Amino acid sequence: MAKENWGRWGPEDEAGTLNLITPDKVTAAAGLVSVGRVLSLAQPLSSATPMARHRHGFAHFMDRDGGDYAAGGKRPGGFQFAEDTIMMPVHTGTHIDALCHAWYDDRLYNEFSGDSIRSTKGGQFCGIDKMPPLFTRGILLDAVAQRGEVFPPGETITLNILKAALSATGREIEPGDVVLIRTGWLESHIGRTGVSLDTEPGIDVEGAEWLAESGVAALGADNFAIETIPFPAGAVFPVHQRLIRDYGMPLLEGLVLAPLAKAGAKSFLFSAAPIPIVGGTGSPLAPIAVL
Amino acid sequence: MAKENWGRWGPEDEAGTLNLITPDKVTAAAGLVSVGRVLSLAQPLSSATPMARHRHGFAHFMDRDGGDYAAGGKRPGGFQFAEDTIMMPVHTGTHIDALCHAWYDDRLYNEFSGDSIRSTKGGQFCGIDKMPPLFTRGILLDAVAQRGEVFPPGETITLNILKAALSATGREIEPGDVVLIRTGWLESHIGRTGVSLDTEPGIDVEGAEWLAESGVAALGADNFAIETIPFPAGAVFPVHQRLIRDYGMPLLEGLVLAPLAKAGAKSFLFSAAPIPIVGGTGSPLAPIAVL
Amino acid sequence: MAKENWGRWGPEDEAGTLNLITPDKVTAAAGLVSVGRVLSLAQPLSSATPMARHRHGFAHFMDRDGGDYAAGGKRPGGFQFAEDTIMMPVHTGTHIDALCHAWYDDRLYNEFSGDSIRSTKGGQFCGIDKMPPLFTRGILLDAVAQRGEVFPPGETITLNILKAALSATGREIEPGDVVLIRTGWLESHIGRTGVSLDTEPGIDVEGAEWLAESGVAALGADNFAIETIPFPAGAVFPVHQRLIRDYGMPLLEGLVLAPLAKAGAKSFLFSAAPIPIVGGTGSPLAPIAVL
Amino acid sequence: MAKENWGRWGPEDEAGTLNLITPDKVTAAAGLVSVGRVLSLAQPLSSATPMARHRHGFAHFMDRDGGDYAAGGKRPGGFQFAEDTIMMPVHTGTHIDALCHAWYDDRLYNEFSGDSIRSTKGGQFCGIDKMPPLFTRGILLDAVAQRGEVFPPGETITLNILKAALSATGREIEPGDVVLIRTGWLESHIGRTGVSLDTEPGIDVEGAEWLAESGVAALGADNFAIETIPFPAGAVFPVHQRLIRDYGMPLLEGLVLAPLAKAGAKSFLFSAAPIPIVGGTGSPLAPIAVL
């Protein structure tokens, strides 16, 4: 059964709501830069980065380093260098979900078959390599400011809270915006070990649908999965199902938003470009907000 | 012995020439956006991405995919998902070199000791996690247009060619600019297998020093190592030694520049943010040019 | 359709022809040891190990090494240590194929479903973790000695050659034996780079069936895939299909056999135990022959 | 300063106490086989295998599996196959320590320099690729039987307990024997999650020296590091320092010994061969005992 945005940008579209970021939107977003301050929204990546239990850990291997020279390594022409290899699940730390990351009824966004995602080649459709860069207006919905404290794990940031947070910005959501929701989860867990990824504060389907219908191009948050965990009874990742699969909207997870809130940012230029891993279901991301 | 930019931004500086990207520079760069066109400068990443022979290949593993559901995998609450893990040398495809990537005489940029880079923790100083985002004016020096054809491997893009290419843009290099040099290497090797990484066209030390003294914040190219290979007799990566270690300038390699040239871009907003791998000697990168 | 050995050891059997290695066979094999010479049949594993092109390379990462101490690493209580991590396709170098490695018509050995092998858990049936150790009599069929030279890539070691080689040993194949075939491939490729894995000398289906019907428990060779490549017209790995899937016989590939031949070994104690990777389709192996 | 076994087998020796496994010893060990029962002493390897916290987890990736065919994958010539890649620290599950794994005063066994172990090539001396196969008599010292229960973490299996356990076997340790100590640790932790690797029962230096002076060729146990943890005050892995570095004796860790004890085994043929990872500090191992 066709869903909200299926076919909206043609039967072969693999970019989904990012189509809402038009050239006019890009130009207008650039015009938001006023003080020239660039804020990184990316978590540092290391083996200490919080990681879902079922995933492999982040691994960082030095293929050559200063120690090798200290131990007598040769330096032809005086040259010394260090290099390294990483192994990581793509859904680690600050990252973006590709449209082939989540689905139901064996159909991805825009009716692509789930069978098109295989061990041998990853996602043939809706992979992260099909996702254009995000360069648009960002709006920060500061749920923490609304509540006066960070949201505790398991608590839902309801539609009313989202609306109140939007109202506090003095802006309206316009098509093509990236909306970032500060739940307080990440800032309250930094430096803590043994973080539980079985529970987190987040939005629900009602809020998600309101955002999608408002024309949001991509939705981000400072938690690890956008939506409240535990899920409502009988549901499993219902926001992922609705936004990624039905609306074709990418999700940005694990964003560092506290400094943005502290800077008083309400709307700003948001820029982020996924690493084009062919067939990838997502990508590590280093988004920026430019004030 | 102190080098050109050592101490220039204080004895503890780990950002090098990226300090030249001031708030004013950021604001001015945003002002360059006129038509709202966003061009990705990143290569797709797969096991087919050209890779130096001494490095491990790019590996993409599906931890869960559509095939698992086709074979009978459960879908609690209807939810289906796919996810993956990558393994890659950080200096793969389109990437940026951190300031701890190259040095000589056991001293990194700003006199940090080479001994600070170890297997156990990577680069404690000048790692990619210390590098701020790049958001500034980009200038394309189209050496291919100067020559009328792509440069053959081994050929040097001399200072005179760089100057002529700059002249063709009608711009002057100003402090904080990112300069991108199109050699034609990548576009002439796409789709070819068994690419030799023992030879490439690139710049020499004379050109590098001129760029550095002109205030370039970061230097990029569409080849795999910025500089001509083979090296001049007796030298090994001399441009890396001078720019990264003496000037504290990051290098961007493996950029996709042909579309930018085709679009007639001369100066533009350039935006790229490294993935903050703690202690990493570089990062995969997905830079954009915004016209 | 049931195949030769399906059901022979019960409907739940996952060990196949290794069931032929009975306690009596084990005891008799131990009795073959006479001079107490132990020969390793395993290739050294490194990034130089010949590897099929479609597979990831062998990677060896030092997590801590002597260089780290040379660069100033601490040594609490005087203790210094080094450790490392490997990444490797299990079908690398000297290895053994599990019974879930190859099949056709969606059915593995003993009628297990191909659907039971998934990204999320590997092979639920016939994985390498289900394979018992191999401790039995080994017989070396020295095809090189028969021919007077190593077999060239693409050439078939026919049934007649196998029979002649067996005759030269003065032994008969008895149930539970491990048979090792020396083609000369590995010894003629050691130290060579860019080895083609598109062609090799090996056996054909006729020879394979004769060995299986003779009661061979496991079949090994010094090439990378037991059978002749290129395959006969219309067939793809027909020996794998017959032996692994229809007979339930594990294959041992990449064995180092020249020293065994040089030692004049004809029959001997053969011992090898796979690493029990849960759900693995094979395992690196370090088999020994004891004379 | 020269240590006990330095120079004993020549200045270039990298095999240490494994030199004690002479041809006569091999032949005699084979003669121990009486009932033809083969017991595997290897733990299954999966992400559930207990792992020291500072190490990367075991990762198992399916490069191709049955799901890919269920999703429509092609099967040229009818052929279907599955294959996989593993990533693992070599000191995982059941494994053996190479002689380059542990040292002090910058000198390895036999005076090799610690500087010879580097990121770029692993251990140039005393790597696991230099270690011959182990095929010799094994003796099980069942400390659990002595105590009447598994040893609790942190408790030392003293020299007296070792002697009593030996006495219970009715055997004497002879040069070239492999001695296996059952502490009960592994069997009491199987199936438990969040296993602490900060404490374990094990032997102390006094016991270690007695074993070494008795001519033990290699020492194994069912814990993860042979020796008691926590260590005596001021010491860090003192048994590793003495046995590996001073005596040149490899250690086998994470052995599955309960079934061997249950079988009433006292002395038996022990066979194990490391995977010859070039420059590796250890190897996963699948040892067997043959009764």
Side-chain angles (χ1 to χ4, degrees):
Chain A
M1 190 180 66
K3 301 304 297 185
E4 281 81 354
N5 283 341
W6 291 19
R8 181 172 171 187
W9 297 284
E12 296 183 0
D13 179 62
E14 303 178 51
T17 48
L18 295 185
N19 284 292
L20 296 169
I21 305 177
T22 61
D24 282 352
K25 188 80 189 173
V26 167
T27 308
L32 294 173
V33 176
S34 58
V35 299
R37 183 171 173 201
V38 181
L39 284 159
S40 169
L41 312 184
Q43 293 180 56
L45 267 187
S46 75
S47 58
T49 305
M51 178 79 71
R53 209 176 316 169
H54 74 284
R55 290 187 177 130
H56 311 292
F58 176 87
H60 184 208
F61 303 107
M62 296 304 296
D63 296 304
R64 176 184 289 263
D65 55 64
D68 298 311
Y69 295 105
K74 288 181 185 158
R75 45 193 86 186
F79 184 62
Q80 297 175 275
F81 69 107
E83 55 184 25
D84 37 357
T85 293
I86 54 171
M87 194 195 79
M88 63 183 292
V90 302
H91 300 270
T92 300
T94 307
H95 66 276
I96 186 165
D97 292 350
L99 297 185
C100 69
H101 175 49
W103 69 98
Y104 62 88
D105 282 354
D106 292 322
R107 292 287 154 182
L108 315 180
Y109 164 72
N110 221 7
E111 209 170 349
F112 290 107
S113 169
D115 285 357
S116 60
I117 313 172
R118 300 188 195 156
S119 310
T120 43
K121 51 182 111 182
Q124 283 182 274
F125 301 102
C126 298
I128 197 68
D129 51 319
K130 307 294 177 55
M131 190 179 288
L134 290 74
F135 188 99
T136 188
R137 184 172 77 153
I139 293 181
L140 177 66
L141 300 189
D142 190 345
V144 176
Q146 286 300 308
R147 187 189 176 94
E149 59 177 0
V150 304
F151 273 70
E155 188 118 345
T156 296
I157 294 157
T158 62
L159 176 55
N160 279 341
I161 298 170
L162 293 176
K163 285 183 171 172
L166 178 62
S167 179
T169 68
R171 273 74 172 175
E172 294 295 322
I173 295 174
E174 292 166 9
D177 283 341
V178 164
V179 166
L180 309 180
I181 300 170
R182 180 182 173 220
T183 70
W185 182 83
L186 185 61
E187 60 206 80
S188 64
H189 284 75
I190 276 181
R192 288 172 52 180
T193 56
V195 166
S196 168
L197 299 183
D198 295 332
T199 177
E200 68 166 2
I203 66 168
D204 61 13
V205 168
E206 189 186 26
E209 291 177 342
W210 173 72
L211 290 165
E213 295 293 341
S214 301
V216 166
L219 179 62
D222 62 349
N223 57 8
F224 54 86
I226 299 288
E227 58 193 296
T228 320
I229 299 179
F231 311 114
V236 174
F237 286 107
V239 170
H240 275 65
Q241 296 193 27
R242 286 294 281 150
L243 293 185
I244 292 180
R245 189 259 196 190
D246 294 346
Y247 283 97
M249 184 191 301
L251 303 180
L252 292 77
E253 296 163 340
L255 297 171
V256 174
L257 296 179
L260 195 57
K262 196 176 168 195
K266 300 192 185 316
S267 65
F268 41 84
L269 167 60
F270 176 90
S271 180
I275 306 294
I277 301 160
V278 176
T281 72
S283 166
L285 203 71
I288 56 171
V290 189
L291 313 186
Chain B
M1 191 181 65
K3 301 305 295 185
E4 281 80 355
N5 283 342
W6 292 19
R8 179 171 172 187
W9 297 285
E12 297 184 358
D13 179 63
E14 304 179 51
T17 48
L18 295 185
N19 285 292
L20 296 169
I21 305 177
T22 61
D24 282 353
K25 188 79 189 175
V26 167
T27 309
L32 295 173
V33 176
S34 58
V35 299
R37 183 170 174 203
V38 181
L39 284 159
S40 170
L41 312 183
Q43 293 180 55
L45 267 187
S46 76
S47 58
T49 306
M51 177 79 69
R53 209 177 315 169
H54 75 284
R55 291 188 175 128
H56 312 292
F58 176 87
H60 185 208
F61 303 108
M62 296 306 294
D63 297 304
R64 177 185 286 264
D65 56 63
D68 298 311
Y69 295 105
K74 289 181 184 160
R75 45 192 88 188
F79 183 63
Q80 297 175 277
F81 70 106
E83 55 184 25
D84 38 356
T85 293
I86 53 171
M87 193 194 79
M88 63 183 291
V90 302
H91 300 270
T92 300
T94 307
H95 67 277
I96 186 165
D97 292 350
L99 298 186
C100 69
H101 175 49
W103 69 99
Y104 62 88
D105 282 353
D106 293 321
R107 293 287 154 181
L108 314 180
Y109 164 70
N110 221 8
E111 209 169 348
F112 291 107
S113 168
D115 285 356
S116 60
I117 313 172
R118 301 189 195 155
S119 310
T120 44
K121 50 183 110 181
Q124 282 182 274
F125 301 101
C126 298
I128 197 69
D129 51 320
K130 307 294 177 56
M131 190 179 286
L134 289 75
F135 187 99
T136 188
R137 184 172 77 153
I139 294 181
L140 178 65
L141 300 190
D142 190 345
V144 176
Q146 285 300 309
R147 187 188 176 95
E149 61 178 357
V150 303
F151 274 69
E155 187 118 346
T156 297
I157 294 156
T158 61
L159 176 55
N160 279 341
I161 299 169
L162 292 176
K163 285 183 172 174
L166 178 61
S167 178
T169 68
R171 273 74 171 176
E172 295 295 323
I173 295 174
E174 292 166 10
D177 283 341
V178 164
V179 166
L180 309 179
I181 300 170
R182 180 182 173 220
T183 70
W185 182 84
L186 185 60
E187 60 206 81
S188 65
H189 285 74
I190 277 181
R192 286 171 53 181
T193 56
V195 167
S196 168
L197 299 184
D198 294 333
T199 176
E200 67 167 0
I203 65 169
D204 61 13
V205 168
E206 188 185 27
E209 291 177 342
W210 172 72
L211 291 164
E213 295 293 341
S214 302
V216 166
L219 179 62
D222 62 349
N223 56 9
F224 56 85
I226 299 289
E227 58 194 298
T228 320
I229 300 179
F231 311 115
V236 174
F237 286 109
V239 170
H240 276 66
Q241 295 193 27
R242 287 294 282 149
L243 292 185
I244 292 180
R245 190 259 197 190
D246 294 344
Y247 283 98
M249 185 192 300
L251 304 181
L252 292 77
E253 296 163 340
L255 297 171
V256 174
L257 296 179
L260 194 58
K262 195 175 169 196
K266 300 192 187 314
S267 66
F268 42 83
L269 168 60
F270 176 90
S271 181
I275 306 293
I277 301 160
V278 176
T281 72
S283 166
L285 203 71
I288 57 171
V290 190
L291 313 185
Chain C
M1 189 181 67
K3 301 306 295 186
E4 280 81 354
N5 282 342
W6 292 19
R8 180 171 172 188
W9 296 284
E12 297 183 359
D13 178 63
E14 305 178 50
T17 48
L18 295 186
N19 284 291
L20 296 168
I21 305 177
T22 61
D24 282 352
K25 188 80 188 173
V26 167
T27 308
L32 296 173
V33 176
S34 58
V35 298
R37 182 170 175 202
V38 182
L39 283 159
S40 169
L41 312 184
Q43 293 180 56
L45 267 187
S46 75
S47 58
T49 306
M51 177 80 70
R53 208 177 316 170
H54 75 284
R55 291 187 177 130
H56 312 292
F58 176 86
H60 185 209
F61 303 107
M62 296 304 294
D63 296 304
R64 178 184 287 263
D65 56 63
D68 299 311
Y69 295 105
K74 289 180 183 159
R75 46 191 86 185
F79 184 62
Q80 297 176 276
F81 69 107
E83 55 184 25
D84 37 356
T85 293
I86 54 171
M87 194 194 79
M88 63 183 292
V90 302
H91 300 270
T92 300
T94 306
H95 67 276
I96 186 165
D97 292 350
L99 297 186
C100 69
H101 175 50
W103 69 99
Y104 62 88
D105 283 354
D106 293 321
R107 294 286 154 181
L108 314 181
Y109 164 72
N110 220 7
E111 208 169 350
F112 291 107
S113 169
D115 285 357
S116 61
I117 313 171
R118 300 188 196 156
S119 311
T120 43
K121 51 183 111 183
Q124 282 182 274
F125 301 101
C126 299
I128 197 68
D129 51 319
K130 307 293 177 55
M131 189 179 288
L134 290 75
F135 187 100
T136 188
R137 183 172 78 152
I139 294 180
L140 177 66
L141 301 189
D142 190 346
V144 176
Q146 286 300 309
R147 187 188 177 93
E149 60 177 359
V150 303
F151 273 70
E155 188 118 345
T156 296
I157 294 156
T158 62
L159 176 55
N160 280 340
I161 298 169
L162 292 176
K163 285 182 171 173
L166 177 61
S167 177
T169 68
R171 274 75 172 174
E172 295 294 323
I173 295 174
E174 292 166 9
D177 283 342
V178 164
V179 166
L180 309 181
I181 300 170
R182 179 180 173 222
T183 71
W185 181 83
L186 185 61
E187 60 206 81
S188 65
H189 283 75
I190 276 180
R192 287 172 52 180
T193 56
V195 166
S196 168
L197 299 183
D198 294 332
T199 176
E200 67 167 2
I203 65 169
D204 61 12
V205 168
E206 190 186 26
E209 291 177 341
W210 173 72
L211 290 164
E213 296 292 341
S214 302
V216 166
L219 179 62
D222 62 348
N223 57 8
F224 54 85
I226 299 289
E227 57 194 299
T228 320
I229 299 180
F231 311 114
V236 174
F237 286 108
V239 171
H240 276 65
Q241 296 193 26
R242 286 295 281 149
L243 292 185
I244 293 181
R245 190 258 196 191
D246 294 345
Y247 283 97
M249 184 191 301
L251 304 180
L252 292 77
E253 296 163 340
L255 298 171
V256 174
L257 296 179
L260 194 57
K262 197 175 167 195
K266 299 193 185 315
S267 65
F268 41 84
L269 167 60
F270 176 89
S271 180
I275 306 293
I277 300 161
V278 176
T281 72
S283 166
L285 204 71
I288 56 173
V290 190
L291 313 185
Chain D
M1 191 181 64
K3 302 305 295 184
E4 280 80 355
N5 283 341
W6 293 19
R8 180 171 173 188
W9 297 284
E12 296 184 359
D13 178 62
E14 305 178 50
T17 48
L18 294 185
N19 285 292
L20 296 168
I21 305 176
T22 60
D24 282 353
K25 187 80 189 172
V26 167
T27 308
L32 295 174
V33 175
S34 58
V35 298
R37 183 170 173 202
V38 181
L39 284 159
S40 169
L41 311 184
Q43 293 180 55
L45 266 187
S46 75
S47 58
T49 305
M51 177 78 70
R53 210 177 314 168
H54 75 282
R55 290 187 177 128
H56 311 291
F58 176 86
H60 184 209
F61 303 107
M62 297 304 294
D63 296 305
R64 177 184 288 263
D65 55 63
D68 299 312
Y69 295 105
K74 288 180 184 160
R75 45 192 86 188
F79 183 62
Q80 297 175 277
F81 69 107
E83 55 184 25
D84 38 357
T85 293
I86 54 171
M87 194 195 79
M88 63 182 293
V90 302
H91 300 270
T92 300
T94 307
H95 67 277
I96 186 166
D97 292 349
L99 297 186
C100 69
H101 175 49
W103 69 98
Y104 63 88
D105 282 352
D106 293 321
R107 293 287 154 182
L108 314 180
Y109 163 71
N110 220 7
E111 208 170 349
F112 290 107
S113 169
D115 285 357
S116 60
I117 313 171
R118 301 190 194 153
S119 311
T120 43
K121 51 182 110 182
Q124 282 183 275
F125 301 101
C126 298
I128 197 68
D129 51 320
K130 307 295 177 54
M131 190 179 286
L134 290 73
F135 187 98
T136 188
R137 184 172 77 152
I139 293 181
L140 177 65
L141 301 189
D142 190 345
V144 176
Q146 286 300 308
R147 185 188 177 95
E149 60 178 358
V150 303
F151 272 69
E155 188 119 345
T156 296
I157 294 156
T158 62
L159 175 55
N160 280 341
I161 299 170
L162 292 176
K163 285 183 171 172
L166 178 61
S167 178
T169 68
R171 273 74 171 175
E172 295 295 324
I173 295 174
E174 292 166 8
D177 283 341
V178 163
V179 167
L180 309 179
I181 300 170
R182 180 182 174 219
T183 70
W185 181 84
L186 185 60
E187 60 205 81
S188 64
H189 284 76
I190 275 180
R192 287 171 54 180
T193 56
V195 166
S196 168
L197 299 184
D198 294 331
T199 177
E200 69 166 0
I203 65 168
D204 60 13
V205 168
E206 191 186 23
E209 291 176 343
W210 173 73
L211 291 164
E213 295 294 341
S214 301
V216 166
L219 178 62
D222 62 349
N223 58 8
F224 54 86
I226 300 288
E227 58 194 298
T228 320
I229 298 180
F231 311 114
V236 174
F237 286 108
V239 170
H240 276 65
Q241 295 193 26
R242 286 294 282 149
L243 293 185
I244 293 180
R245 190 259 197 190
D246 294 345
Y247 283 98
M249 185 192 301
L251 305 181
L252 292 77
E253 296 163 339
L255 297 171
V256 174
L257 297 180
L260 194 57
K262 195 176 169 195
K266 300 192 186 312
S267 64
F268 41 85
L269 168 60
F270 176 90
S271 180
I275 307 293
I277 301 160
V278 176
T281 71
S283 167
L285 203 72
I288 57 172
V290 189
L291 313 186

